[in-house]
Amino acid sequence: MKIALLVTLLAVLAWQTIAAPIQARAPRVRYDNQVLARVTIPSTLANSDAISSSLVVKFRHSFGLDVWGVVNLADETRAIDVRLPTPDDLDAVKEAVAAGAPGGTVTIVNNNIQAGIDAEAHENAQALQVAGLTKRQTGVYDPATWFTAYHRFADILGFFNSMATQYPSLVSVNASIGKSFQGRDLFQVRIGTRTNPAVKQVYIQGLIHAREWVAGSTVQYIAYKLVSAYSNPSDPDNAWAVRTLNSTELFVVPVVNPDGYEYSWTTDRLWRKNRRRAVTSSSAVGVDLNRNYPKGWGADPDGASTTPSAEDYQGPSPLSEPESRVITSNFVNTLKSAILSIDYHSYSQLLLRPPGYNYAIPSAQAAKLKAAGDAGAAAIAVKSGRTYTSQTALQLYPATGTAVDYAWDESVNTQVTKDRTNGRVYSYTIELRPSSSDTATGFILPPSQIVATGEENWAGFKAILDYVRSNII
Ligand SMILES: [Zn+2]
């Protein structure tokens, strides 16, 4: 008996020893002493835009580096933020700048990325504690505290569910428009009064890139502002919200990439892609969902990477990823009367319109796309004094298979056109805070800036939509 028990115990222990490493959560990825470098391209160079764009492509696709963003400095000089894991990477970048951008500079603007990640985690945990949200809970709807912190995927769903409970005639949540690779439900929120059969649709989405947390909070903020302004007669935006919801309804997918987003909380704060290992010949995990849309997929070798480990890996084929299939099916099937689509990202304060790579847009349509974008940027500047630069996405660097080109393009595909009574979809990528004038924390925007970012983008959203409603393309 005793021996049998001992054998059993030993067997259990042995099994645990073997099983534990498999079951344990992966250790957190750390970025100790990794630096963020800012590469400036002198605006005096005749073709500074093209030089900047080609350096981004070189850093990403030749050096395999993680380019964080392209920011505009106060004097309109363009600058590339790039994370450098090793001193060798810094040397390589310096050499490339010396060769390709005479007069360009390379400055370390953040000498320990991990310190910023730790500070954000601390600040966010404190904010959650103050808000009484330390326990994971759903059904929380208190805007006064909600927007002091970033939140997990399940809690974001809970936030919208409680909004729907509070405003049942205005807000509804479709709990699943399809599943992520790991089986999470992508949910969609609809805000509308359901009275006008000729209603047009407005679509916004966030967190297609996991680490861009402020894109999530901003999408939540815009939805919350529309609901509260509509419901409160004394709200300064009440008349606007009532007028808007009389003729339009808002569809929101708050978290396009829930697997990546959760992973950015549990394991790697700087994770960008989804969590599917897309090709068996590589151990690399993740496809850049914003390079996996069918419009222009693979059309420009500089517009996305074909290397599975790259941050902008386009995937093995267009719509190879469950999340991009869910989003595009939803767009085609549910958003047949869309007039505006905005994909929120961070960072660098840009208001980007199509094209994202080299294709033609009729000049009259291009002028309207620009005018609506400019209106949004102007409204943001009035609200907060922040500069969001309005330009084409291609002016930044080429990007293929993206949401912004898809939404613009899909509206002329026959499948959708036959049902459409309106014209095309105005389509934007908005890159949120920070800018070059902020402390160089990049994606790690302190939660204390959630409300200010939301406020200025609520103003921008209203201005863009006002232009779009009166200038159907
Ligand atoms: Zn992004």
Side-chain angles (χ1 to χ4, degrees), residues 76-91:
E76 298 293 302
T77 302
R78 194 150 288 193
I80 304 164
D81 283 359
V82 56
R83 174 171 62 85
L84 303 177
T86 71
D88 284 352
D89 295 320
L90 178 59
D91 291 342

Side-chain angles (χ1 to χ4, degrees), residues 26-85:
R28 279 184 188 270
V29 176
R30 295 187 60 87
Y31 295 89
D32 295 293
N33 301 316
Q34 293 199 20
V35 305
L36 185 67
R38 182 161 291 165
V39 175
T40 63
I41 319 295
S43 52
T44 47
L45 290 174
N47 47 350
S48 59
D49 274 9
I51 290 172
S52 168
S53 172
S54 71
L55 279 176
V56 168
V57 170
K58 178 172 249 179
F59 295 164
R60 277 187 173 150
H61 299 160
S62 301
F63 297 174
L65 291 171
D66 182 12
V67 172
W68 277 17
V70 179
V71 295
N72 290 310
L73 305 186
D75 64 357
E76 298 293 302
T77 302
R78 194 150 288 193
I80 304 164
D81 283 359
V82 56
R83 174 171 62 85
L84 303 177

Side-chain angles (χ1 to χ4, degrees), residues 294-296 331 354 357 359 403-414 416-417 424-425 427:
K295 170 61 178 169
F331 195 86
Y357 65 99
Y359 67 91
V404 69
D405 286 325
Y406 171 81
W408 168 249
D409 181 64
E410 189 58 35
S411 52
V412 293
N413 284 354
T414 49
V416 173
T417 310
R424 303 192 65 163
V425 178
S427 180

